[in-house]
Amino acid sequence: MLKLLIVDDEPFIRMLLQQTLEELEDEDVEILEASNGEEAVEVILEERPNLVFLDVMMPKMNGFEVCKKIKKENNLQDIYIILLTAKGQEFDKLRGLECGADIYMTKPFNPDEILEKAREILELN
Amino acid sequence: MSNINFERLVSKKQMYGYIKSVLKLNDNVAAVYSINGQVLIGEELLSPSECIEIIINNKVVGYIKGYKNCKEIAEIINYTFEKELTNKALAQETLEKYRETAILYDITEKLSTRLDSKEVVSLIIKEIKRLIKADHVTVMFYDEEVGILKSDNLSFNLGEGLAGSVAQSGKAEIINDVIKDTRYIIGDYYIYSMICAPLMIKDKLIGVLSASVEKPYNYTANDLKILSTLAFQASIAVENARLFEGLEEAFLAMVCSLSETIEKRDIYTGGHTKRVMTYSMAIGEVLEISENDMERLRLGAILHDIGKIGVRDDVLLKESKLTDDEYEKIKMHTVFGHEIISHIKYLSNIVPAVRNHHERYDGRGYPDKIEKENIDIIARIIAVADTYDAMTSDRPYRKGLSHDIAMEELKRNAGMQFDEKVVKAFEDAFILRKIL
């Protein structure tokens, strides 16, 4: 069973991502959600999702920190992490690379691109 | 709404938890059942006395069965689901907007780097086909002078046909079921519906953008919105591209004018420039130099002797052999030429052609005494072409040498005065009939 985690502090964004990726549920993918950094780490450690969409701007623990923490764990190295960052914000690409994220995408996102990328990474083409 | 969706909706963590709480409040004497009679949430009940339908969007999707309060529970659940569905519908709307926004960002980026109007047009057509239902997409340009809208194989007067009409009014339109519209003029192919938007810059009409379908389909306001937005982007991009092409044309015309000034002073130099350009381009082709270098070579050849304007008539047009002193003055044409074109930033990359076309491969040339590959390739090429033409053309004091003798001279000096590879390429150019 494939697992996908959506992490964003805004419930509406979580809903949009959920809606975008909904059709994958028919293809045996479980979609999980987390609303902050700490919860995300918990869920990742427990559920070991294959792919994580991770918002950068979150209070208390941001996306970079979550990513760094996860990538430090030996058995979680191959969880694919996509950072979501607001368009227009100076995205610190260096920081993104440093924390070990795999790629980043901007918000507002193109739903088609999100779905395509998810399919690609979960090998569901 | 199908059964599967209801079951999925109900099994979502929050919804499930919420319904479970509601059922618990009712002491679990009622439960949620699927259409097939399976318990979805709550505990299986023996012979429930009540059975109320759960209706969403006028369809029965499940049941509340139990001993009491089933009607009230059903109402709560109906309300909750309606809310959930509204949320999902809103989310879909938003995603649609996100999609459009992403596409617009995307196309703005793509268009901003295009300066070729043909490329802009084909990119616009491609993007429209991707975003709206369309079997045909046409871009027509407005020729102000004759008042006609033109594309590759169509033309309309302003006001003629649907496109002409939109062009005239300046207002985008949806024309569904075109046959019913009196303005429609039947074209090469049959169409059912069409949307059309004008391409405008400020208030000036520059063309018309239209999309059409062959099979029955009614374009929506949303489709028109997308087309209009793309039309706006397209107008800017096309205008940019055309201004740029116009600039390039004007610039080239200026360069040719500049070159012509020499021809007017000295007939020999004029014809010479044209021939050197022909020979140089042929060499460039054989050597397969880059497109960029070919362009530099062309402009460089046209302007290589521009500095001669700074050489006095009595020296430049002297019919007998030159004295050493006079020779030194002629040599200055390389430096003068550089000074003349130094005012034009756009020509900075052809300076070697003008300044260094008299350098020698062995470093014993002028004015800079640079050698071998330190001499820009365009200068090395023009050097060969230039010398060849000087040898083969008639002068007041001697007749021109034959092709064979001139070639021999070039080969004799290959490696010393000239780059061997360039001389060889020149020879090949004749053999390959690149020069006739």
Side-chain angles (χ1 to χ4, degrees):
Chain A
M1 170 136 224
L2 295 166
K3 294 186 199 170
L4 188 159
L5 173 63
I6 297 171
V7 184
D8 197 304
D9 59 322
E10 286 178 277
F12 185 56
I13 303 288
R14 291 200 301 274
M15 166 181 259
L16 288 179
L17 280 167
Q18 170 90 294
Q19 186 82 349
T20 306
L21 298 161
E22 201 173 58
E23 63 184 67
L24 295 179
E25 283 182 326
D26 287 332
E27 294 172 56
D28 211 29
V29 178
E30 190 184 344
I31 301 181
L32 306 158
E33 292 185 18
S35 58
N36 62 61
E38 279 146 0
E39 200 187 323
V41 172
E42 270 172 41
V43 174
I44 293 173
L45 288 172
E46 195 181 309
E47 301 275 354
R48 301 207 59 206
N50 307 79
L51 167 61
V52 181
F53 284 98
L54 182 52
D55 182 30
V56 168
M57 283 289 164
M58 290 190 292
K60 289 199 226 157
M61 196 181 186
N62 67 37
F64 293 127
E65 291 163 346
V66 172
C67 197
K68 233 188 239 169
K69 210 168 176 142
I70 296 302
K71 290 290 178 175
K72 258 199 264 187
E73 305 284 326
N74 276 334
N75 56 344
L76 297 176
Q77 294 284 337
D78 43 330
I79 293 183
Y80 201 95
I81 297 186
I82 299 180
L83 289 176
L84 293 173
T85 165
K87 200 171 191 89
Q89 247 163 25
E90 258 299 308
F91 180 67
D92 199 337
K93 286 193 195 148
L94 193 59
R95 209 169 163 202
L97 277 170
E98 276 177 0
C99 76
D102 292 278
I103 58 170
Y104 79 94
M105 295 180 99
T106 50
K107 298 195 280 189
F109 49 82
N110 183 341
D112 298 329
E113 265 178 48
I114 294 270
L115 192 54
E116 207 183 298
K117 202 74 200 174
R119 283 187 177 284
E120 189 192 309
I121 293 157
L122 297 173
E123 289 172 19
L124 286 172
N125 291 320
Chain B
M1 175 151 163
S2 72
N3 247 6
I4 300 167
N5 280 349
F6 174 67
E7 284 175 24
R8 179 193 284 169
L9 207 59
V10 134
S11 64
K12 285 266 167 10
K13 209 164 69 169
Q14 277 188 319
M15 181 69 80
Y16 186 84
Y18 172 73
I19 298 174
K20 219 164 177 242
S21 304
V22 168
L23 293 174
K24 190 168 173 213
L25 277 175
N26 194 42
D27 295 321
N28 282 317
V29 297
V32 178
Y33 284 75
S34 72
I35 290 253
N36 310 327
Q38 290 166 310
V39 174
L40 290 175
I41 311 179
E43 299 163 3
E44 180 90 53
L45 302 162
L46 306 158
S47 340
S49 49
E50 294 179 0
C51 177
I52 307 289
E53 294 169 334
I54 301 175
I55 298 175
I56 296 173
N57 287 348
N58 296 325
K59 267 185 79 183
V60 178
V61 295
Y63 301 100
I64 302 288
K65 296 196 213 183
Y67 303 120
K68 64 178 180 145
N69 295 330
C70 290
K71 184 156 162 285
E72 286 77 6
I73 291 175
E75 268 173 31
I76 292 174
I77 288 181
N78 279 342
Y79 179 72
T80 312
F81 281 142
E82 300 279 355
K83 271 246 157 315
E84 185 67 18
L85 288 179
T86 307
N87 275 354
K88 283 171 88 68
L90 283 171
Q92 268 307 118
E93 271 264 333
T94 307
L95 285 174
E96 198 46 49
K97 292 288 167 274
Y98 273 24
R99 194 174 276 115
E100 273 174 46
T101 308
I103 284 162
L104 283 171
Y105 271 130
D106 191 42
I107 197 161
T108 307
E109 230 178 334
K110 284 183 182 154
L111 281 179
S112 69
T113 61
R114 295 284 191 276
L115 287 170
D116 180 312
S117 57
K118 277 197 172 49
E119 265 186 51
V120 169
V121 169
S122 54
L123 185 66
I124 295 285
I125 293 178
K126 197 169 82 165
E127 291 297 302
I128 291 177
K129 282 195 166 142
R130 208 160 63 88
L131 300 171
I132 322 178
K133 194 169 164 63
D135 294 314
H136 304 282
V137 177
T138 316
V139 176
M140 298 186 84
F141 288 111
Y142 180 58
D143 186 339
E144 226 177 343
E145 279 169 39
V146 281
I148 296 188
L149 277 172
K150 266 194 293 216
S151 75
D152 283 336
N153 40 14
L154 286 168
S155 86
F156 290 113
N157 287 319
L158 202 59
E160 200 188 346
L162 293 172
S165 191
V166 166
Q168 195 169 53
S169 69
K171 289 196 171 32
E173 272 190 62
I174 300 176
I175 308 109
N176 285 327
D177 203 1
V178 295
I179 298 287
K180 302 226 172 89
D181 194 309
T182 50
R183 298 170 298 173
Y184 176 59
I185 297 175
I186 298 182
D188 290 332
Y189 38 77
Y190 173 75
I191 62 170
Y192 184 83
S193 295
M194 177 167 142
I195 38 172
C196 194
L199 296 171
M200 318 265 281
I201 289 286
K202 292 186 192 131
D203 288 320
K204 195 177 76 150
L205 176 75
I206 61 171
V208 151
L209 179 57
S210 50
S212 55
V213 280
E214 288 176 357
K215 299 218 171 68
Y217 171 77
N218 287 326
Y219 280 113
T220 63
N222 200 41
D223 289 330
L224 191 65
K225 193 148 66 79
I226 294 179
L227 189 76
S228 297
T229 314
L230 282 173
F232 181 64
Q233 300 285 48
S235 306
I236 300 171
V238 164
E239 187 69 355
N240 259 1
R242 282 168 17 158
L243 283 173
F244 183 74
E245 282 163 359
L247 265 178
E248 276 192 323
E249 251 181 72
F251 181 76
L252 192 59
M254 280 295 217
V255 166
C256 289
S257 284
L258 195 57
S259 185
E260 182 112 352
T261 61
I262 286 294
E263 178 157 354
K264 292 299 178 230
R265 260 196 72 206
D266 173 10
I267 305 279
Y268 163 72
T269 306
H272 165 73
T273 297
K274 286 190 178 63
R275 289 188 299 271
V276 167
M277 192 190 79
T278 309
Y279 300 149
S280 300
M281 300 290 274
I283 296 172
E285 259 186 66
V286 173
L287 287 174
E288 289 180 350
I289 61 176
S290 71
E291 217 178 289
N292 188 39
D293 281 342
M294 278 299 264
E295 190 52 27
R296 289 171 59 223
L297 186 56
R298 192 164 69 98
L299 287 177
I302 293 174
L303 290 175
H304 80 279
D305 269 344
I306 194 71
K308 284 190 177 168
I309 205 119
V311 179
R312 289 172 50 135
D313 274 359
D314 54 356
V315 173
L316 189 67
L317 306 173
K318 187 175 180 194
E319 299 198 344
S320 50
K321 251 188 144 233
L322 299 165
T323 65
D324 285 344
D325 208 36
E326 286 161 344
Y327 186 55
E328 286 303 310
K329 289 198 165 74
I330 292 247
K331 279 164 74 175
M332 286 303 284
H333 82 275
T334 52
V335 174
F336 289 158
H338 183 185
E339 283 168 8
I340 289 170
I341 67 168
S342 68
H343 297 283
I344 305 175
K345 263 203 301 210
Y346 195 68
L347 291 177
S348 59
N349 62 0
I350 68 153
V351 164
V354 174
R355 187 184 174 89
N356 300 123
H357 66 275
H358 282 294
E359 302 290 349
R360 289 172 55 109
Y361 199 67
D362 55 17
R364 290 159 59 190
Y366 64 89
D368 298 322
K369 291 184 157 27
I370 45 179
E371 61 163 17
K372 303 211 181 86
E373 264 71 15
N374 287 323
I375 308 169
D376 192 308
I377 183 66
I378 64 177
R380 278 181 270 144
I381 291 174
I382 293 174
V384 168
D386 192 22
T387 310
Y388 175 83
D389 191 65
M391 286 191 279
T392 53
S393 36
D394 295 331
R395 295 301 181 90
Y397 51 85
R398 61 135 176 87
K399 223 174 147 10
L401 302 172
S402 74
H403 165 78
D404 292 326
I405 296 179
M407 278 311 300
E408 272 310 304
E409 260 306 292
L410 289 178
K411 289 200 277 199
R412 216 164 54 77
N413 283 288
M416 294 180 292
Q417 186 174 355
F418 308 114
D419 181 341
E420 257 184 289
K421 302 182 287 302
V422 176
V423 174
K424 177 85 177 43
F426 192 41
E427 205 182 359
D428 289 342
F430 281 104
I431 296 169
L432 294 168
R433 306 185 132 262
K434 285 191 186 289
I435 309 169
L436 298 156

